[in-house]
Coordinates of all heavy atoms in Angstrom, one line a residue:
P129 N 0.8 -1.2 0.0 CA 0.0 0.0 0.0 C 0.8 1.3 0.0 O 0.5 2.2 -0.7 CB -0.8 -0.1 1.3 CG -1.0 -1.6 1.5 CD 0.4 -2.1 1.1
G130 N 1.9 1.3 0.8 CA 2.8 2.5 0.8 C 3.5 2.7 -0.5 O 3.7 3.8 -1.0
Q131 N 3.9 1.6 -1.1 CA 4.6 1.7 -2.4 C 3.6 2.2 -3.5 O 4.0 3.1 -4.3 CB 5.1 0.3 -2.9 CG 6.2 -0.3 -2.0 CD 6.4 -1.8 -2.3 OE1 5.5 -2.5 -2.7 NE2 7.6 -2.2 -2.0
I132 N 2.4 1.8 -3.5 CA 1.4 2.3 -4.4 C 1.1 3.8 -4.2 O 1.1 4.6 -5.1 CB 0.1 1.5 -4.3 CG1 0.3 0.0 -4.8 CG2 -1.0 2.1 -5.1 CD1 -0.8 -0.9 -4.6
Q133 N 1.0 4.1 -2.9 CA 0.7 5.5 -2.6 C 1.9 6.4 -3.0 O 1.7 7.5 -3.6 CB 0.4 5.7 -1.1 CG 0.0 7.1 -0.8 CD -0.6 7.3 0.6 OE1 -0.7 6.4 1.4 NE2 -1.0 8.5 0.9
E134 N 3.1 6.0 -2.7 CA 4.3 6.8 -3.1 C 4.4 6.9 -4.6 O 4.7 8.0 -5.1 CB 5.5 6.1 -2.5 CG 6.8 6.9 -2.8 CD 8.0 6.2 -2.2 OE1 7.9 5.6 -1.1 OE2 9.1 6.3 -2.8
A135 N 4.2 5.9 -5.3 CA 4.4 5.9 -6.8 C 3.2 6.6 -7.5 O 3.4 7.3 -8.5 CB 4.6 4.5 -7.3
L136 N 2.0 6.4 -7.0 CA 0.8 6.8 -7.7 C -0.1 7.8 -7.0 O -1.1 8.3 -7.6 CB 0.0 5.6 -8.1 CG 0.7 4.5 -8.9 CD1 -0.1 3.3 -9.0 CD2 1.2 5.0 -10.3
G137 N 0.3 8.2 -5.8 CA -0.6 9.1 -5.0 C -1.0 10.4 -5.7 O -2.1 10.9 -5.4
D138 N -0.2 10.9 -6.5 CA -0.5 12.2 -7.1 C -0.9 12.0 -8.6 O -1.0 12.9 -9.4 CB 0.7 13.2 -7.1 CG 1.9 12.7 -7.7 OD1 2.0 11.5 -8.1 OD2 2.9 13.5 -7.9
K139 N -1.2 10.8 -8.9 CA -1.5 10.4 -10.3 C -2.9 9.8 -10.5 O -3.2 9.2 -11.5 CB -0.5 9.5 -10.9 CG 0.9 10.1 -11.0 CD 1.9 9.1 -11.5 CE 3.2 9.7 -11.7 NZ 4.3 9.3 -10.8
L140 N -3.7 9.9 -9.5 CA -5.0 9.1 -9.5 C -5.9 9.5 -10.7 O -6.7 8.7 -11.1 CB -5.8 9.3 -8.2 CG -5.1 8.8 -6.9 CD1 -6.0 9.0 -5.7 CD2 -4.7 7.3 -7.1
E141 N -5.8 10.7 -11.1 CA -6.7 11.2 -12.2 C -6.1 11.0 -13.6 O -6.8 11.2 -14.6 CB -7.1 12.7 -12.0 CG -7.8 12.9 -10.7 CD -9.2 12.2 -10.6 OE1 -9.8 11.9 -11.6 OE2 -9.5 11.8 -9.5
L142 N -4.9 10.4 -13.7 CA -4.3 10.2 -15.0 C -5.1 9.1 -15.7 O -5.4 8.1 -15.2 CB -2.8 9.8 -14.9 CG -1.9 10.9 -14.4 CD1 -0.5 10.3 -14.4 CD2 -1.9 12.1 -15.4
P143 N -5.4 9.3 -17.0 CA -6.1 8.3 -17.8 C -5.3 7.1 -18.0 O -4.0 7.2 -18.1 CB -6.5 9.1 -19.1 CG -5.5 10.2 -19.1 CD -5.1 10.6 -17.8
V144 N -5.9 6.0 -18.2 CA -5.3 4.7 -18.5 C -5.9 4.2 -19.8 O -7.0 4.5 -20.2 CB -5.4 3.7 -17.4 CG1 -4.6 4.2 -16.1 CG2 -6.8 3.4 -17.0
K145 N -5.1 3.3 -20.4 CA -5.6 2.6 -21.7 C -6.8 1.7 -21.3 O -7.0 1.3 -20.2 CB -4.5 1.8 -22.3 CG -3.4 2.6 -22.9 CD -2.4 1.7 -23.6 CE -1.3 2.5 -24.2 NZ -0.2 1.6 -24.8
E146 N -7.5 1.4 -22.4 CA -8.6 0.5 -22.2 C -8.2 -0.8 -21.5 O -7.1 -1.3 -21.8 CB -9.2 0.2 -23.6 CG -10.5 -0.6 -23.5 CD -11.2 -0.8 -24.9 OE1 -11.1 0.1 -25.7 OE2 -11.7 -1.9 -25.1
N147 N -9.0 -1.2 -20.6 CA -8.6 -2.4 -19.7 C -9.9 -3.2 -19.4 O -11.0 -2.7 -19.5 CB -7.9 -2.0 -18.5 CG -8.7 -0.9 -17.7 OD1 -9.6 -1.3 -17.0 ND2 -8.3 0.3 -17.9
F148 N -9.7 -4.4 -18.9 CA -10.8 -5.3 -18.6 C -11.7 -4.8 -17.4 O -12.8 -5.2 -17.3 CB -10.3 -6.7 -18.2 CG -9.5 -6.8 -16.9 CD1 -10.2 -7.2 -15.8 CD2 -8.2 -6.5 -16.9 CE1 -9.5 -7.3 -14.6 CE2 -7.5 -6.6 -15.7 CZ -8.2 -7.0 -14.5
L149 N -11.2 -3.9 -16.6 CA -12.0 -3.3 -15.5 C -12.8 -2.2 -16.0 O -13.7 -1.7 -15.3 CB -11.0 -2.8 -14.4 CG -10.3 -3.7 -13.5 CD1 -9.5 -3.0 -12.5 CD2 -11.3 -4.6 -12.8
K150 N -12.5 -1.7 -17.2 CA -13.2 -0.5 -17.7 C -12.9 0.8 -16.9 O -13.6 1.7 -16.9 CB -14.7 -0.7 -17.8 CG -15.2 -2.0 -18.5 CD -15.3 -1.8 -20.0 CE -16.0 -3.0 -20.6 NZ -15.1 -3.7 -21.5
A151 N -11.7 0.7 -16.2 CA -11.3 1.9 -15.4 C -10.8 2.9 -16.4 O -10.2 2.6 -17.4 CB -10.1 1.4 -14.5
E152 N -11.1 4.2 -16.1 CA -10.7 5.3 -16.9 C -9.4 6.0 -16.4 O -8.8 6.7 -17.2 CB -11.8 6.3 -17.0 CG -13.0 5.7 -17.8 CD -14.1 6.7 -18.0 OE1 -14.0 7.9 -17.6 OE2 -15.2 6.3 -18.5
N153 N -9.1 5.8 -15.1 CA -7.9 6.4 -14.6 C -7.3 5.6 -13.5 O -7.8 4.5 -13.2 CB -8.2 7.8 -14.0 CG -9.3 7.8 -12.9 OD1 -9.2 7.0 -12.0 ND2 -10.3 8.7 -13.0
I154 N -6.1 6.0 -13.1 CA -5.3 5.2 -12.1 C -6.1 5.0 -10.8 O -6.1 3.9 -10.2 CB -3.9 5.8 -11.9 CG1 -3.1 5.7 -13.1 CG2 -3.3 5.3 -10.7 CD1 -1.8 6.4 -13.1
G155 N -6.8 6.0 -10.3 CA -7.6 5.9 -9.1 C -8.6 4.7 -9.3 O -8.9 4.0 -8.3
E156 N -9.2 4.6 -10.4 CA -10.2 3.6 -10.6 C -9.6 2.2 -10.7 O -10.2 1.2 -10.3 CB -11.1 3.9 -11.9 CG -12.0 5.1 -11.7 CD -12.7 5.4 -13.0 OE1 -12.6 4.8 -14.0 OE2 -13.5 6.5 -12.9
L157 N -8.4 2.1 -11.2 CA -7.6 0.9 -11.2 C -7.4 0.4 -9.7 O -7.6 -0.7 -9.4 CB -6.3 1.0 -11.9 CG -6.3 1.1 -13.4 CD1 -4.9 1.3 -13.9 CD2 -6.9 -0.2 -14.0
I158 N -7.0 1.4 -8.9 CA -6.7 1.1 -7.5 C -8.0 0.7 -6.8 O -8.0 -0.3 -6.0 CB -6.0 2.2 -6.8 CG1 -4.6 2.4 -7.4 CG2 -5.9 2.0 -5.3 CD1 -3.9 3.7 -7.0
A159 N -9.1 1.3 -7.1 CA -10.4 1.0 -6.5 C -10.8 -0.4 -6.9 O -11.3 -1.2 -6.1 CB -11.5 2.0 -6.9
G160 N -10.5 -0.8 -8.2 CA -10.8 -2.2 -8.7 C -10.0 -3.2 -7.9 O -10.4 -4.3 -7.6
G161 N -8.7 -2.8 -7.6 CA -7.9 -3.7 -6.8 C -8.4 -3.9 -5.4 O -8.3 -5.0 -4.9
I162 N -8.9 -2.8 -4.8 CA -9.5 -3.0 -3.5 C -10.7 -3.9 -3.5 O -10.9 -4.7 -2.6 CB -9.9 -1.6 -2.9 CG1 -8.6 -0.7 -2.7 CG2 -10.6 -1.7 -1.6 CD1 -8.8 0.7 -2.4
T163 N -11.6 -3.7 -4.5 CA -12.7 -4.6 -4.6 C -12.3 -6.1 -4.8 O -12.8 -7.0 -4.1 CB -13.6 -4.2 -5.8 OG1 -14.0 -2.8 -5.7 CG2 -14.8 -5.1 -6.0
H164 N -11.3 -6.3 -5.6 CA -10.7 -7.6 -5.8 C -10.2 -8.2 -4.4 O -10.5 -9.3 -4.1 CB -9.6 -7.6 -6.8 CG -8.9 -8.9 -7.0 ND1 -7.7 -9.1 -6.4 CD2 -9.3 -10.0 -7.7 CE1 -7.3 -10.4 -6.7 NE2 -8.2 -10.9 -7.5
E165 N -9.5 -7.4 -3.7 CA -8.9 -7.8 -2.4 C -10.0 -8.2 -1.4 O -9.9 -9.1 -0.7 CB -8.1 -6.7 -1.9 CG -7.4 -7.0 -0.6 CD -6.2 -6.2 -0.3 OE1 -5.6 -5.5 -1.2 OE2 -5.7 -6.2 0.9
C166 N -11.1 -7.4 -1.4 CA -12.2 -7.7 -0.5 C -12.8 -9.0 -0.8 O -13.2 -9.8 0.1 CB -13.2 -6.6 -0.5 SG -12.7 -5.1 0.3
T167 N -12.9 -9.4 -2.1 CA -13.4 -10.7 -2.5 C -12.5 -11.8 -1.9 O -13.0 -12.8 -1.3 CB -13.5 -10.8 -4.0 OG1 -14.4 -9.8 -4.5 CG2 -13.9 -12.2 -4.4
H168 N -11.2 -11.6 -2.0 CA -10.3 -12.6 -1.5 C -10.2 -12.6 0.0 O -10.0 -13.7 0.6 CB -9.0 -12.5 -2.2 CG -9.1 -13.0 -3.6 ND1 -9.1 -14.3 -3.9 CD2 -9.3 -12.3 -4.7 CE1 -9.2 -14.5 -5.2 NE2 -9.4 -13.2 -5.8
L169 N -10.5 -11.5 0.6 CA -10.6 -11.5 2.1 C -11.7 -12.4 2.6 O -11.6 -13.1 3.5 CB -10.8 -10.0 2.6 CG -10.9 -9.8 4.1 CD1 -9.7 -10.2 4.8 CD2 -11.1 -8.3 4.3

């Protein structure tokens, strides 16, 4: 979590290429990761 925040903390609104999550920016990718993590929790 600290590594992600350090590397991407100021980039959450940057757009990302089309992806299977349909995320439009880095923040949405991270949110998708949290959702995935909760499933495995």
Side-chain angles (χ1 to χ4, degrees):
Q131 293 167 335
I132 293 170
Q133 184 169 3
E134 183 178 326
L136 303 172
D138 60 349
K139 298 179 173 110
L140 297 182
E141 298 302 325
L142 288 180
V144 295
K145 289 184 178 178
E146 189 174 322
N147 56 78
F148 70 95
L149 286 178
K150 309 274 190 247
E152 293 182 4
N153 60 46
I154 290 174
E156 291 176 3
L157 288 176
I158 295 170
I162 294 167
T163 302
H164 175 260
E165 184 158 341
C166 289
T167 299
H168 288 280
L169 180 58

